[in-house]
Amino acid sequence: MLNKDRSRQVLEISLPIVGGMVSQNVLNLVDAAMVGTQGSAAIAAIGISGFINFMAVAFFTGFAAGVQAMVSRRIGQGRSEEAAYPMNAALAIITLLALPTSIALFFLAPKILHLLNDDPELLKEGIPYLQARFVGIVAVGLNFSFRSYWSAISQTQYYLRTLLIMHTINIILNYALIFGHFGMPELGTLGAGIGTTVSVALGTLYYHYLASKHTKQYGYLAQLARWPTIRSILKISIPSALQQLFFAGGFTALFWIIGKVGTHQLAAVNAITNVMLVGILPCIALGIGAATLVGQSLGRKDPQNAYLWGWDVAKMAIVFAIGLGTIFYLFTDPIMGIFLKEPEALKLAHWPFKLSALIIVIDAVGLVFLNALNGAGSTKSTLYVSIISQWILFLPVAWYLGPYLGKSLTIIWVAYSVYRVLQTGAFVWLWQRRSWSRIQFD
């Protein structure tokens, strides 16, 4: 069991992030409920478009791992006056790379979506939404690095404050633009995309304001980082960026596979995914807290304490996940019915959602150790595990069961559950080996 002092340290860092993640989940669910009123084609469109956008931003969000590992270790080493230098480097790299990517993908959006699904109704709803989301790629990438920065310097209250403001703006804009309220045009799914992108961009500006006002003592934008720092953040971040890219690409491939099975199945998977984020994102938040505590312990040259932090946070995630998993399992149809208005889609979601509820505890443990390993700088190992378990093991099986054999969504979701269990086992094994405790960087 955790003692009170260690529990307090975890919660001081993680609770504001958990609050931010919960607000993100509420936002996702509100968005899905709003768009769900437009029918299965609309909710399927934002589902597959959302994962395409996730893949587009994934590489840039991967720099958050480098920021987390390097800033937290510098804090542990007592180098607080230059702790923000890795953050400065990440902001510059993301902006330079993400801006041309955003412009190119905006014009390629129709072709990209058409490659993954040829349903005319889905394309009509999805293309404008996807273009609106592609405009916000730079802001999303920067926001993830800010999140890790606030965690690494143990000032996550600013992360929570910004997200609450950002999500409030998003809900208001989506309500106005999807349905045409407050004198705004009725834009449907396009309105949802515009509302999200505008709110994320405003959040980025507010993050910068808060960092400039409250973290100058850490060297925020005081100067560009030296080449050793840039080299270190690239060395840590690129494997994490690739892991995020392949993970997002894998989910996009899964949506393509499910789309080949049917539009109702795709709508069901989108609803399941959105709801499960209610359980998973707070566990990711706990994992981000673990990454900070691991990095700071390694900075103080205390690998045993770093090792214990991984398990301490995992225990907290288990308790949280058990509660949510129980609710999801017992109230499957009422929860799914909020987002799926067509009876066929609701019926298809029943057993896959119950399976997800059963494995949420295992998934929570895996996500904690994924983040803890990244916090130690062991991003190459998490990259290899993710690619092997998702791309080599799961996705070929999903395609074989679905489009090839014509099996049900439930059978495909059994394979998905096995993949998540195997991945968690690999992350726990890597943590127990402790080779991550010997990683060094600037």
Side-chain angles (χ1 to χ4, degrees):
M1 298 293 292
L2 277 73
N3 62 46
K4 290 183 179 180
D5 181 62
R6 292 178 74 81
S7 298
R8 179 184 55 78
Q9 291 183 63
V10 174
L11 293 175
E12 283 180 353
I13 296 173
S14 297
L15 269 183
I17 302 177
V18 170
M21 293 294 187
V22 169
S23 73
Q24 178 67 64
N25 289 328
V26 171
L27 174 64
N28 289 341
L29 298 179
V30 169
D31 278 359
M34 288 182 188
V35 175
T37 63
Q38 314 292 305
S40 287
I43 197 167
I46 68 164
I48 193 169
S49 298
F51 275 104
I52 293 170
N53 182 67
F54 180 27
M55 185 169 64
V57 303
F59 183 83
F60 307 108
T61 63
F63 281 85
V67 171
Q68 179 96 42
M70 294 186 66
V71 174
S72 60
R73 191 169 296 200
R74 288 183 179 208
I75 293 293
Q77 293 169 338
R79 301 164 62 192
S80 59
E81 70 282 354
E82 54 185 61
Y85 290 179
M87 174 65 171
N88 300 341
L91 295 180
I93 294 168
I94 291 168
T95 302
L96 289 172
L97 296 179
L99 188 58
T101 301
S102 178
I103 295 170
L105 289 177
F106 178 89
F107 293 103
L108 291 172
K111 292 183 178 179
I112 294 170
L113 192 57
H114 194 273
L115 284 173
L116 296 175
N117 198 292
D118 56 5
D119 184 322
E121 282 299 311
L122 188 146
L123 292 172
K124 179 183 176 182
E125 299 284 353
I127 289 172
Y129 175 83
L130 184 58
Q131 287 179 317
R133 295 300 303 273
F134 278 162
V135 172
I137 287 175
V138 177
V140 173
L142 296 177
N143 283 6
F144 269 75
S145 286
F146 272 114
R147 184 187 71 182
S148 291
Y149 176 62
W150 296 123
S151 174
I153 62 175
S154 302
Q155 294 190 23
T156 50
Q157 70 273 16
Y158 296 123
Y159 166 74
L160 175 59
R161 181 192 302 180
T162 304
L163 253 66
L164 291 176
I165 293 171
M166 187 166 62
H167 294 161
T168 301
I169 294 171
N170 196 351
I171 289 173
I172 293 170
L173 287 176
N174 282 8
Y175 178 72
L177 292 171
I178 291 173
F179 303 111
H181 294 301
F182 310 130
M184 296 290 186
E186 184 178 347
L187 300 177
T189 52
L190 172 60
I194 293 173
T196 299
T197 293
V198 170
S199 64
V200 170
L202 292 174
T204 304
L205 294 176
Y206 192 54
Y207 274 139
H208 168 68
Y209 165 76
L210 290 173
S212 298
K213 182 178 179 180
H214 298 288
T215 69
K216 283 294 186 182
Q217 70 273 27
Y218 296 113
Y220 177 71
L221 296 188
Q223 66 177 67
L224 292 177
R226 296 174 297 129
W227 170 242
T229 301
I230 296 173
R231 182 179 60 206
S232 292
I233 200 165
L234 288 172
K235 183 178 179 181
I236 298 169
S237 297
I238 287 179
S240 177
L242 291 173
Q243 185 265 328
Q244 292 286 338
L245 179 62
F246 276 101
F247 175 74
F251 253 99
T252 303
L254 177 61
F255 268 62
W256 173 78
I257 290 169
I258 301 299
K260 293 293 183 182
V261 178
T263 299
H264 287 299
Q265 286 85 347
L266 187 58
V269 169
N270 182 56
I272 292 167
T273 303
N274 278 325
V275 175
M276 289 309 297
L277 286 176
V278 173
I280 293 306
L281 286 182
C283 295
I284 294 175
L286 288 171
I288 292 169
T292 292
L293 293 163
V294 167
Q296 291 179 356
S297 294
L298 292 176
R300 292 190 291 270
K301 301 188 184 301
D302 190 353
Q304 176 62 18
N305 196 43
Y307 169 79
L308 293 174
W309 277 126
W311 282 109
D312 286 347
V313 178
K315 294 172 188 174
M316 299 179 73
I318 288 170
V319 173
F320 188 89
I322 287 174
L324 274 175
T326 301
I327 293 170
F328 291 164
Y329 191 87
L330 294 177
F331 302 99
T332 295
D333 290 338
I335 293 171
M336 286 288 96
I338 298 171
F339 314 102
L340 299 171
K341 305 304 180 183
E342 300 182 27
E344 186 175 348
L346 181 61
K347 182 179 179 181
L348 288 166
H350 179 84
W351 286 110
F353 187 54
K354 282 192 179 295
L355 280 171
S356 293
L358 288 173
I359 67 161
I360 191 173
V361 172
I362 296 172
D363 230 351
V365 172
L367 289 166
V368 167
F369 284 115
L370 164 65
N371 282 276
L373 287 163
N374 285 342
S378 184
T379 51
K380 284 185 180 180
S381 63
T382 58
L383 169 64
Y384 298 149
V385 168
S386 295
I387 290 177
I388 292 170
S389 60
Q390 186 179 32
W391 283 90
I392 296 178
L393 297 179
F394 168 61
L395 289 173
V397 171
W399 181 87
Y400 181 74
L401 292 173
Y404 187 77
L405 291 182
K407 297 295 184 181
S408 68
L409 178 61
T410 299
I411 298 300
I412 297 172
W413 221 248
V414 169
Y416 172 80
S417 301
V418 171
Y419 140 63
R420 299 301 292 178
V421 170
L422 291 175
Q423 187 178 79
T424 293
F427 288 144
V428 171
W429 177 74
L430 287 171
W431 190 253
Q432 292 299 99
R433 289 185 64 206
R434 304 198 195 196
S435 57
W436 46 266
S437 65
R438 297 186 291 273
I439 296 174
Q440 300 293 326
F441 45 81
D442 178 59

